[in-house]
Amino acid sequence: MNSKNIRAAFLDFFEGKKHKIVASAPMVIKDDPTLMFTNAGMNQFKEFFLGNTRSKYPRIADTQKCLRVSGKHNDLEEVGKDTYHHTMFEMLGNWSFGDYFKKEAISWAWELLTEVYKIDPETLYVTVFEGSTDEDQLEMDQEAYDFWKGIIPEERILMGDKKDNFWEMGDQGPCGPCSEIHVDLRSAEEKAEVNGASLVNQDHPHVIEIWNLVFIQYNRKSNGQLEPLPEKHVDTGMGFERLCMALQGVKSNYDTDIFQPLIQALERFTGLSYGKDEAVDVAIRVISDHIRAVAFAIADGQLPSNTGAGYVIRRILRRAIRYGFTFLNIQEPFIYKLTPVLTEAMGEAFPELSEQQQLIENVIREEEHSFLKTLEQGLLLLEQSLKKTKGKVMDGRKAFELYDTYGFPIDLTALILEEKGYSLDEQGFEEAMQEQKSRSKSASEVTKEDWIVLKQGTSQEFVGYDQLEASVNLLKYRKVSTKKEGEQYQLVFTPTPFYPEGGGQVGDKGYLETPDGDVAYIVDTKRENNEIVHFAKELPKDLELPLTAVVDAGQRRRTAANHSATHLLHQALRKVLGTHVEQKGSAVHSRYLRFDFSHFSKMTEEELEQVEQFVNERIQENLPLQENRAIPMQEALQQGAMALFGEKYGEEVRTIRFGESIELCGGTHVNRTGDIWHFKIVSESAIAAGIRRIEAITSDAARNYYEEHLQDLQEIKSLFKGGKNAVESVKSLQEENAQLKKEIESLLREKAGSLKQELSREFEEVGGINFLARKVDLDASGMKDLAFELGGQYDNLFLLLAAEQGGKALLSCYISKPLVEKNKLNAGAIVRELGKYISGGGGGQPFFATAGGKNPDGIQKALEAARSFISE
Ligand code: ATP
Ligand code: MG
């Protein structure tokens, strides 16, 4: 069975069991402050488990793109070293939301594995939660045990502890006991020697967990306590790559048809073969794994960057580059060349890959290029640092600096040190690392108290498209605190007119007011687990009184103008530049808007003007907003709306149309484009290979922009006292200026000419030498010019010129070349000597040298001393 069929068979099976098949959620999570990447299939259903929202379908199945490189589930360091952990992998899952429970979950899993996939039941082991005696005091999962007992001999049902058999997504949230299914892939001889049961959950590469059935029945609260959920749910996750290994009769995920094309391509690029040398094999596994994580992240709209999720992606790619650099000995970009191979293998199941192949390739190539440069630099720095090292141990803090400032990986440092016969002070490195970690941790640490629920079972309604004010009921609140924001309260009330941050648009601000005029300000609004959460510095004094929630109308109006303008900008870019332009991110604030899009080159002045003009024409047409709040996705797409990659859409979507611009959008907008007032681009720049960024302003900000410019102009005009046309005035000023410059230059030339004549008359003959030591009113370059001109006319010249400039003293000494040789004179040595009189120093060539000093009072003495060099 090839991997495509294996995936399809899973989905077909659960469709047959009345499950709704849904698409994978994006791997990069945009609007959840608690999670950067999807790390399990259940993430996108968190709100259903918590009971915030009811799923339209009680049963769902899918394949979910997961990434386990940060937070509670982080497998990064294992990847490549073992053969069954990946950074990015597909998790096949089936879910019940308050519908079926353990019995069905267990028997269907068994049926699928043994009857559809035809895995030999003798090779399977299952685990059951044994209970815990710690503070949770959980009982053994007897129910699951009993169901398994009806299916599989008891000696293959194993008891497991909390670590393996109690699944939690993070420190807080839905969780519960689980039952895993393991498969023993060893040969008959190996099995005869060692019993498979003793190898379950022992990190044996051929006795591995393939499927985990989680029975979600608790919510882990902030104080660590478990609270039973009102309903019980099933959440299962099966590792697709591991399943393929089991079904394709191979012993490593990398030997399946999922990875083989990538590995073969790497063999072609490098001329090396997989399976001969463990170090090479690890590198090949690392690269063929990481290309998937990076490509899928970029396809989801997450570019490598220096912060947050972008930085995690950058580090994954850098890990791959470094393995290639060190173990495959490739010092030029090559990983990007795997992109077409990956698209070929996975593009059908994940069209976001094929549609963005070019972009993915460009971004990876550019990243490789710049990191390879960093590596080279790092190598140099390392060399230098070793030269300064006394003894044979490199300072751990130095190594940390290389790691932290230059992105130079520590294991590479260690490797190079080893090759050169040095060792690393690991403790020093660890200390520096820990210090930095605790610094950044305490900066980002969030503590959340539990929700205090005032009203149970009421769901929240958003009325912010139509109203900016509503009388509301407080449902629940809690205290949270972060280093950055300090203590804040989160409030959930209904209905709410507050727009939560999302789709690039910032959250609303405003206030809550009690009937007696007590006010609590709302500083931000965000969505969390499908609830709209309002952030306030203080609670309203009386929580029982009816409250009025009021959105800051000014901020909302300016934000809406920017959001609508963003849509028009998108439309304009596709018109002016072409339909290859795709939105790659946007930030809609009240003061400005930012729009990132794919395009291969810098935009020209004309293109920018055309874009501005296009948008402003749409504004002038005063197009009305045409909003459709709930339209089936398919229909919206048919009407011409574009879905963005990496965005999660429901079956019904909202569309926003202004004339011919139509977008899927949940944001707030102006009623007519005329309300945008005016659109002005303030910058255009590159943010990554093939990605450009435009920043622009509208409404009040555009008005301010023009008013400020107008004010500047008025001031300029008033400086010209009555001159009507400022441009003409500036032009004539420039002309006048140029004329004056010319005059000054010719005057200076004249002055220099007469000075030259004056000086030649002052030459004094000292032992056959034309000698002159004199103060002049020139700057350094004027003195030099003068000296060289005189030098061109006389060939036995000894000249010392001195000047005072800006409180400092300058000396120039010129000696004709024949004298330099014949009389053994050296201008450089002479100015150094004379420099003492002016408290300074200098130098130069034997025939011309200069000195500078901070004591102009010494000039006279220096001039007097000059004669001594020739009269001795
Ligand atoms: P393991 O102990 O092997 O790391 P896990 O307990 O972390 O697995 P779960 O969190 O229960 O795994 O995830 C469900 C399934 O997803 C696992 O049974 C396994 O098949 C698969 N899986 C988990 N982590 C990875 C990974 N890093 N790469 C590939 N598959 C994975
Ligand atoms: Mg794990």
Side-chain angles (χ1 to χ4, degrees):
M1 239 178 162
N2 69 29
S3 54
K4 283 179 190 155
N5 296 335
I6 294 172
R7 190 191 288 117
F10 179 88
L11 299 175
D12 287 348
F13 177 82
F14 281 102
E15 192 163 32
K17 306 281 184 209
K18 307 217 163 28
H19 286 63
K20 168 77 183 169
I21 308 301
V22 303
S24 171
M27 186 177 81
V28 185
I29 299 178
K30 298 225 168 74
D31 296 325
D32 185 341
T34 61
L35 210 57
M36 251 194 258
F37 302 104
T38 298
N39 65 16
M42 58 84 72
N43 296 166
Q44 67 163 319
F45 306 118
K46 232 165 61 177
E47 62 194 80
F48 302 148
F49 294 125
L50 289 169
N52 293 348
T53 325
R54 246 198 129 55
S55 171
K56 194 167 156 198
Y57 307 99
R59 300 177 184 185
I60 286 182
D62 71 2
T63 174
Q64 172 66 49
K65 305 175 271 187
C66 294
L67 189 64
R68 292 195 168 180
V69 291
S70 57
K72 189 173 171 77
H73 296 275
N74 184 350
D75 294 332
L76 185 60
E77 286 313 313
E78 305 324 310
V79 174
K81 292 178 190 147
D82 77 19
T83 50
Y84 55 99
H85 278 99
H86 301 294
T87 53
M88 181 260 164
F89 64 100
E90 280 182 68
M91 196 186 280
L92 303 167
N94 58 291
W95 286 274
S96 149
F97 306 111
D99 184 23
Y100 64 82
F101 204 44
K102 296 180 189 177
K103 177 165 181 266
E104 293 83 350
I106 288 173
S107 72
W108 288 340
W110 192 257
E111 183 186 334
L112 176 64
L113 292 180
T114 60
E115 286 169 33
V116 177
Y117 290 135
K118 304 225 180 313
I119 298 182
D120 176 1
E122 301 284 309
T123 63
L124 296 174
Y125 292 85
V126 301
T127 63
V128 168
F129 182 47
E130 66 186 10
S132 82
T133 51
D134 59 7
E135 59 285 359
D136 288 337
Q137 293 286 330
L138 293 162
E139 283 178 19
M140 167 202 168
D141 192 350
Q142 189 65 47
E143 208 185 343
Y145 190 90
D146 292 341
F147 288 128
W148 280 122
K149 211 166 64 176
I151 295 179
I152 177 172
E154 276 184 87
E155 64 269 21
R156 283 195 276 123
I157 308 176
L158 310 169
M159 303 307 287
D161 62 7
K162 246 178 154 175
K163 181 175 83 49
D164 290 317
N165 285 81
F166 194 86
W167 199 88
E168 308 200 39
M169 171 190 75
D171 295 335
Q172 274 167 267
C175 54
C178 60
S179 208
E180 307 156 326
I181 304 174
H182 295 253
V183 61
D184 184 351
L185 302 170
R186 295 173 307 148
S187 66
E189 295 83 64
E190 288 171 297
K191 284 179 187 165
E193 233 167 80
V194 182
N195 180 358
S198 67
L199 298 175
V200 165
N201 273 331
Q202 299 302 317
D203 298 328
H204 191 289
H206 304 141
V207 182
I208 62 160
E209 174 189 335
I210 50 170
W211 203 348
N212 195 357
L213 316 178
V214 185
F215 310 117
I216 301 261
Q217 52 193 83
Y218 302 106
N219 179 31
R220 171 81 66 192
K221 300 204 296 179
S222 63
N223 61 3
Q225 269 174 16
L226 291 176
E227 141 194 277
L229 288 171
E231 282 186 303
K232 296 188 169 69
H233 317 276
V234 170
D235 151 32
T236 86
M238 172 150 61
F240 174 62
E241 297 76 7
R242 293 186 191 179
L243 175 67
C244 290
M245 154 168 74
L247 297 186
Q248 294 178 357
V250 291
K251 297 255 165 92
S252 153
N253 285 4
Y254 295 91
D255 292 338
T256 63
D257 66 337
I258 304 171
F259 285 95
Q260 273 303 305
L262 293 166
I263 291 177
Q264 284 158 12
L266 281 171
E267 289 180 318
R268 278 200 307 280
F269 300 159
T270 59
L272 297 163
S273 358
Y274 183 67
K276 294 233 165 76
D277 170 349
E278 182 58 13
V280 169
D281 290 357
V282 170
I284 289 182
R285 288 198 290 265
V286 163
I287 296 167
S288 58
D289 173 277
H290 291 9
I291 177 75
R292 297 179 1 127
V294 174
F296 273 95
I298 298 171
D300 262 5
Q302 183 58 64
L303 297 171
S305 75
N306 261 342
T307 52
Y311 191 52
V312 176
I313 298 305
R314 173 165 281 169
R315 278 200 343 249
I316 298 175
L317 182 52
R318 287 181 168 186
R319 187 169 185 261
I321 299 170
R322 172 174 45 91
Y323 269 91
F325 183 91
T326 317
F327 300 104
L328 305 183
N329 207 18
I330 305 195
Q331 275 92 35
E332 58 190 50
F334 73 106
I335 297 173
Y336 74 94
K337 291 195 269 179
L338 289 172
T339 313
V341 185
L342 180 65
T343 311
E344 171 76 31
M346 301 190 78
E348 204 179 304
F350 300 96
E352 63 268 37
L353 275 188
S354 35
E355 286 173 41
Q356 301 182 88
Q357 187 187 322
Q358 195 55 49
L359 174 77
I360 297 170
E361 240 181 282
N362 287 347
V363 170
I364 296 180
R365 191 196 316 105
E366 198 52 40
E367 278 284 310
E368 283 191 81
H369 187 74
S370 67
F371 186 56
L372 285 168
K373 263 203 248 155
T374 306
L375 280 180
E376 264 170 41
Q377 256 174 4
L379 284 173
L380 275 177
L381 287 168
L382 184 58
E383 291 278 341
Q384 279 167 2
S385 170
L386 284 184
K387 274 194 196 127
K388 286 189 212 135
T389 300
K390 295 188 189 79
K392 288 281 167 195
V393 183
M394 181 180 179
D395 182 357
R397 284 179 184 270
K398 279 261 158 56
F400 181 76
E401 200 180 301
L402 268 177
Y403 162 82
D404 193 41
T405 324
Y406 302 97
F408 203 71
I410 188 62
D411 36 359
L412 185 55
T413 304
L415 201 80
I416 295 169
L417 290 179
E418 198 184 303
E419 278 169 14
K420 294 185 184 288
Y422 285 81
S423 67
L424 174 70
D425 152 32
E426 279 175 31
Q427 202 185 335
F429 178 82
E430 268 313 309
E431 278 168 18
M433 182 79 139
Q434 283 315 323
E435 279 166 26
Q436 199 217 34
K437 269 198 184 143
S438 58
R439 269 197 305 274
S440 61
K441 189 162 177 222
S442 68
S444 66
E445 215 157 35
V446 192
T447 51
K448 292 178 181 168
E449 290 182 2
D450 289 315
W451 288 106
I452 297 174
V453 179
L454 303 176
K455 278 202 182 62
Q456 207 111 34
T458 314
S459 66
Q460 196 185 24
E461 189 194 356
F462 174 66
V463 295
Y465 292 140
D466 306 307
Q467 292 162 236
L468 293 181
E469 214 179 294
S471 80
V472 306
N473 280 308
L474 197 53
L475 300 180
K476 58 180 182 178
Y477 66 93
R478 68 174 170 186
K479 196 195 253 181
V480 294
S481 65
T482 60
K483 190 118 190 170
K484 199 165 138 223
E485 312 284 352
E487 274 190 0
Q488 283 188 321
Y489 290 91
Q490 295 185 332
L491 306 157
V492 175
F493 48 76
T494 189
T496 176
F498 281 75
Y499 178 81
E501 179 183 317
Q505 183 179 329
V506 292
D508 276 337
K509 290 185 169 60
Y511 59 88
L512 276 177
E513 191 174 18
T514 60
D516 44 18
D518 177 35
V519 161
Y521 288 97
I522 290 171
V523 293
D524 202 358
T525 311
K526 290 192 165 128
R527 191 180 281 282
E528 207 176 303
N529 296 321
N530 209 25
E531 278 178 330
I532 298 172
V533 179
H534 310 80
F535 291 72
K537 277 281 162 207
E538 285 158 34
L539 285 176
K541 283 212 186 72
D542 193 335
L543 300 173
E544 300 302 319
L545 289 173
L547 296 167
T548 309
V550 183
V551 172
D552 178 335
Q555 189 207 341
R556 172 69 91 76
R557 179 176 55 78
R558 292 187 289 272
T559 309
N562 281 335
H563 204 151
S564 303
T566 305
H567 288 198
L568 298 178
L569 169 61
H570 189 192
Q571 186 194 7
L573 288 168
R574 289 175 66 93
K575 274 259 155 51
V576 173
L577 302 178
T579 50
H580 62 278
V581 166
E582 241 160 45
Q583 174 167 353
K584 282 293 158 211
S586 70
V588 178
H589 293 257
S590 63
R591 290 194 312 279
Y592 72 100
L593 67 95
R594 198 172 75 201
F595 189 76
D596 300 339
F597 57 99
S598 48
H599 181 56
F600 33 80
S601 58
K602 181 165 180 57
M603 285 178 69
T604 63
E605 284 296 322
E606 296 86 79
E607 285 166 343
L608 288 169
E609 259 167 42
Q610 282 170 25
V611 166
E612 260 181 12
Q613 195 186 342
F614 181 94
V615 175
N616 283 318
E617 278 167 10
R618 303 291 83 72
I619 292 173
Q620 268 151 29
E621 284 168 8
N622 204 18
L623 302 164
L625 163 69
Q626 290 172 282
E627 179 198 15
N628 197 334
R629 293 224 178 127
I631 160 174
M633 178 71 168
Q634 223 35 50
E635 218 176 300
L637 296 177
Q638 270 157 19
Q639 289 182 7
M642 272 175 307
L644 301 184
F645 295 114
E647 211 59 53
K648 187 183 162 196
Y649 297 102
E651 287 177 355
E652 296 216 314
V653 290
R654 176 170 177 255
T655 55
I656 295 293
R657 184 197 282 272
F658 290 106
E660 280 166 24
S661 148
I662 170 160
E663 301 228 3
L664 301 173
C665 179
T668 62
H669 287 273
V670 295
N671 286 325
R672 305 194 73 97
T673 54
D675 301 343
I676 299 170
W677 192 72
H678 189 76
F679 171 81
K680 173 85 195 121
I681 294 177
V682 291
S683 75
E684 191 269 350
S685 58
I687 55 163
I691 309 277
R692 315 284 317 171
R693 166 171 292 176
I694 279 184
E695 289 183 315
I697 49 177
T698 67
S699 70
D700 298 7
R703 193 173 286 125
N704 289 343
Y705 176 87
Y706 287 112
E707 272 168 10
E708 271 168 30
H709 278 67
L710 204 61
Q711 208 170 350
D712 285 350
L713 194 62
Q714 294 299 1
E715 274 173 34
I716 291 171
K717 276 187 177 174
S718 76
L719 287 176
F720 287 114
K721 302 221 174 55
K724 283 231 165 52
N725 187 331
V727 177
E728 285 307 318
S729 303
V730 170
K731 269 192 195 154
S732 77
L733 197 65
Q734 281 175 329
E735 275 164 26
E736 201 176 310
N737 200 24
Q739 187 56 35
L740 289 174
K741 248 192 201 151
K742 265 193 213 147
E743 279 173 28
I744 289 175
E745 273 166 21
S746 90
L747 281 173
L748 282 177
R749 262 198 306 277
E750 250 171 59
K751 188 178 156 195
S754 61
L755 185 62
K756 203 169 82 184
Q757 278 176 7
E758 196 183 321
L759 294 192
S760 14
R761 282 197 295 273
E762 290 177 19
F763 287 162
E764 190 182 333
E765 218 220 78
V766 182
I769 294 174
N770 280 322
F771 171 79
L772 179 68
R774 185 193 198 274
K775 198 171 166 186
V776 291
D777 185 16
L778 291 172
D779 63 3
S781 81
M783 283 200 288
K784 183 175 176 186
D785 290 346
L786 182 62
F788 276 71
E789 278 190 31
L790 285 168
Q793 284 175 19
Y794 302 89
D795 58 5
N796 53 346
L797 194 61
F798 183 109
L799 194 60
L800 180 73
L801 297 178
E804 190 180 332
Q805 283 268 315
K808 297 216 164 72
L810 301 170
L811 300 176
S812 296
C813 179
Y814 184 93
I815 303 169
S816 300
K817 280 193 177 141
L819 287 185
V820 168
E821 275 160 35
K822 205 166 74 206
N823 297 31
K824 299 261 171 312
L825 289 171
N826 183 336
I830 291 172
V831 296
R832 259 195 299 281
E833 190 65 33
L834 295 176
K836 289 176 194 155
Y837 295 105
I838 55 166
S839 312
Q845 289 157 284
F847 76 101
F848 181 73
T850 58
K854 49 181 189 281
N855 176 25
D857 294 341
I859 286 179
Q860 199 46 43
K861 287 231 172 67
L863 291 173
E864 282 161 16
R867 187 186 299 266
S868 66
F869 292 99
I870 48 172
S871 56
E872 275 167 350

